[in-house]
Amino acid sequence: MNVLVLNSGSSSLKFQLIATDRERIQKNADERICRGEVERIGGEAIVTAESEKSPRQKFTAPLADLSAALEYLIRWIASEESGISQVQSAADIHAVGHRVVHGGEMFSESAIITDEVLKGIEDCIDLAPLHNPNNIKCIRAARQILGPKVPQVAVFDTAFHHSLPERAYLYALPYHLYRRHHIRRYGFHGTSHRYVAYRYRVLRNLTREQTHVITLHLGNGCSAAAIRGGYPVDTSMGMTPLEGLVMGTRSGDIDPAIVNLIATKEGLSPHEVEMLLNTQSGLLGISGLTNDMRVLQQELKDHDDRRVRLAIEVFCYRARKYIGAFLACMGGADAVVFTGGIGENSTDIRARICTGLEWAGLKLDKNRNEHAIGKEAQISTDDSNLKAFVIPTDEELLIARDTVRCIAGEPHPS
Ligand code: ADP
């Protein structure tokens, strides 16, 4: 089955085409046919795409909206110039898997998109006003372009965290605010946490119930999850992705009283302060330079800039603090798993986070850490009580596999 995986943003559309089915899933033999991204939708859009058989292609096209971008994309996939032999026409795209950001309290797992499910995603717009509307537009566009017979599946960023106990998801606010407005912690990056926890248990030959890990997704957005018995018991992101760890441009945890103080002192509206916390804070805010960890590390090496050093220190300190907190929340873990662009590639950041966790039994193996770049590996010593692993995430693969499983009517995908 050729599954088109779509991740739609306000002006971008990331895609992958993956050939997978029950047999391929069992054999871990899914085939990535092509992947790419359409950026700057709304104007002269830039399309980048690559497949295993053809090198990276880049072209531009005037694409007014998500629907136009998707139509263009499907036409390109089916065209001769794409070099994709598996797809001769749109009919060779057998299903679509969508990354949907917010599933609220309604969706505890991936779901085949029916009118009712679409209504449920619409009902969550209040919780994710910047994200869910784009996901809905993309779902409608795919339905229109490919026809109602092509099954579509929604895979929610929040769903994996559905197992959080009340004590972990409830804010200590007047309870009626939870009742009236569903104000609670939901958690995000669920597909990534779920995928790396799954890979960890495959690597270590464990059952789901035996999986007790802290997963750290460190990319542009960053989050941690405390996973006990295969399911999250706590996570760092909250009602929105703003809470928790220090991120590229997001502050993570702050004293909520700061919002009003910034608004008053800087003459900003609450909305503008929220934007500042989301887009001008984190690594970018402290360093005053960039949200890109790779650039910060180079800068630190070349110039030992004080604010760059501080940005990196605050980033790593917060991550370590969450590991400590989660160890207490979950009564100890077997491993810390690093993923995301920073977690998978930065030996230095991993070392900085792990240094100071020796009390918890985590002993980093310097040599293993240095060699674990973008690949699955253990980076702690064999005698560590708390192990450390690097496991590259693959959200698209999980979305494609969930799509297959949902279509087959399997109730609980792994
Ligand atoms: P997103 O969350 O947008 O998917 P990624 O998971 O790709 O982002 O992570 C992007 C971050 O990973 C950037 O800060 C980037 O600098 C960082 N990164 C990628 N490779 C390295 C590396 N080798 N060393 C340090 N940071 C890296």
Side-chain angles (χ1 to χ4, degrees):
M1 176 181 278
N2 297 329
V3 182
L4 181 61
V5 177
L6 297 174
N7 180 355
S8 47
S10 59
S11 64
S12 70
L13 179 64
K14 288 188 189 151
F15 67 94
Q16 285 199 19
L17 186 65
I18 298 176
T20 181
D21 50 38
R22 293 300 300 132
E23 210 173 301
R24 283 183 195 250
I25 293 173
Q26 254 157 26
K27 291 187 184 151
N28 200 23
D30 323 70
E31 185 193 352
R32 199 134 354 210
I33 300 173
C34 73
R35 70 170 89 196
E37 183 169 12
V38 188
E39 291 166 283
R40 299 200 199 161
I41 296 168
E44 190 69 6
I46 301 167
V47 186
T48 40
E50 62 184 61
S51 65
E52 265 164 35
K53 282 161 205 134
S54 77
R56 199 174 152 86
Q57 305 190 27
K58 189 168 183 172
F59 31 93
T60 60
L63 299 171
D65 52 25
L66 260 175
S67 178
L70 186 59
E71 196 167 357
Y72 182 89
L73 193 65
I74 291 171
R75 223 176 313 119
W76 176 80
I77 289 173
S79 72
E80 244 174 63
E81 71 188 279
S82 74
I84 297 169
S85 57
Q86 296 93 329
V87 180
Q88 300 295 323
S89 75
D92 294 326
I93 295 172
H94 305 123
V96 184
H98 294 266
R99 174 189 179 219
V100 177
V101 169
H102 221 304
E105 294 194 301
M106 200 176 314
F107 296 103
S108 59
E109 55 191 46
S110 306
I112 293 225
I113 299 172
T114 58
D115 287 343
E116 202 186 341
V117 167
L118 200 54
K119 165 87 175 47
I121 299 171
E122 279 169 351
D123 288 344
C124 296
I125 285 180
D126 271 356
L127 298 169
L130 296 178
H131 297 101
N132 274 27
N134 295 316
N135 301 151
I136 291 165
K137 271 186 213 154
C138 195
I139 291 167
R140 289 193 196 286
R143 194 185 265 182
Q144 205 183 352
I145 297 163
L146 294 171
K149 291 221 174 84
V150 174
Q152 300 197 56
V153 169
V155 180
F156 301 92
D157 246 26
T158 47
F160 186 50
H161 302 298
H162 224 257
S163 56
L164 295 186
E166 262 180 321
R167 62 171 183 265
Y169 74 64
L170 207 59
Y171 290 114
L173 294 168
Y175 193 73
H176 69 262
L177 293 175
Y178 166 59
R179 283 233 186 90
R180 265 189 220 159
H181 309 297
H182 309 284
I183 295 175
R184 51 158 281 182
R185 306 178 65 250
Y186 290 94
F188 296 87
H189 285 150
T191 316
S192 177
H193 291 292
R194 185 177 137 212
Y195 178 77
V196 297
Y198 158 74
R199 283 302 306 164
Y200 171 81
R201 76 172 197 258
V202 170
L203 286 176
R204 301 217 57 216
N205 203 14
L206 302 169
T207 63
R208 181 197 291 274
E209 292 66 32
Q210 291 168 326
T211 308
H212 313 303
V213 288
I214 296 171
T215 47
L216 285 180
H217 179 108
L218 307 177
N220 265 320
C222 300
S223 67
I227 297 174
R228 180 135 203 102
Y231 291 100
V233 292
D234 209 339
T235 192
S236 61
M237 282 179 168
M239 166 99 182
T240 77
L242 186 53
E243 192 179 342
L245 303 179
V246 175
M247 313 182 206
T249 60
R250 295 191 193 117
S251 62
D253 296 336
I254 59 161
D255 180 340
I258 294 172
V259 174
N260 189 34
L261 190 129
I262 297 176
T264 310
K265 299 269 183 200
E266 296 280 317
L268 300 176
S269 68
H271 174 71
E272 285 169 330
V273 178
E274 192 181 317
M275 288 293 283
L276 179 146
L277 297 176
N278 267 301
T279 63
Q280 294 168 49
S281 303
L283 293 173
L284 171 65
I286 300 177
S287 70
L289 191 67
T290 175
N291 62 322
D292 191 319
M293 183 60 96
R294 227 174 333 189
V295 177
L296 289 176
Q297 295 207 281
Q298 196 56 46
E299 198 63 26
L300 185 66
K301 213 163 135 200
D302 295 345
H303 302 110
D304 194 21
D305 182 274
R306 192 185 82 86
R307 277 177 51 192
V308 167
R309 184 164 12 93
L310 259 181
I312 293 174
E313 272 175 17
V314 176
F315 180 93
C316 296
Y317 174 76
R318 181 85 53 88
R320 192 172 341 115
K321 187 164 155 178
Y322 263 89
I323 293 173
F326 282 179
L327 285 171
C329 294
M330 61 196 287
D334 295 332
V336 175
V337 180
F338 289 92
T339 194
I342 299 171
E344 291 164 25
N345 298 300
S346 179
T347 54
D348 176 60
I349 297 298
R350 292 192 304 245
R352 285 172 188 265
I353 292 173
C354 292
T355 303
L357 283 172
E358 293 79 7
W359 63 271
L362 197 163
K363 288 188 249 169
L364 200 67
D365 184 314
K366 200 162 175 282
N367 190 39
R368 283 179 179 169
N369 185 39
E370 295 291 326
H371 286 93
I373 297 176
K375 61 177 186 190
E376 292 180 344
Q378 181 181 329
I379 56 170
S380 53
T381 60
D382 287 335
D383 65 343
S384 280
N385 282 333
L386 177 61
K387 301 196 183 321
F389 276 77
V390 173
I391 301 185
T393 194
D394 198 340
E395 294 163 272
E396 291 79 10
L397 180 65
L398 202 58
I399 292 173
R401 287 180 170 186
D402 266 17
T403 302
V404 167
R405 292 181 184 118
C406 280
I407 293 168
E410 286 183 21
H412 292 290
S414 62

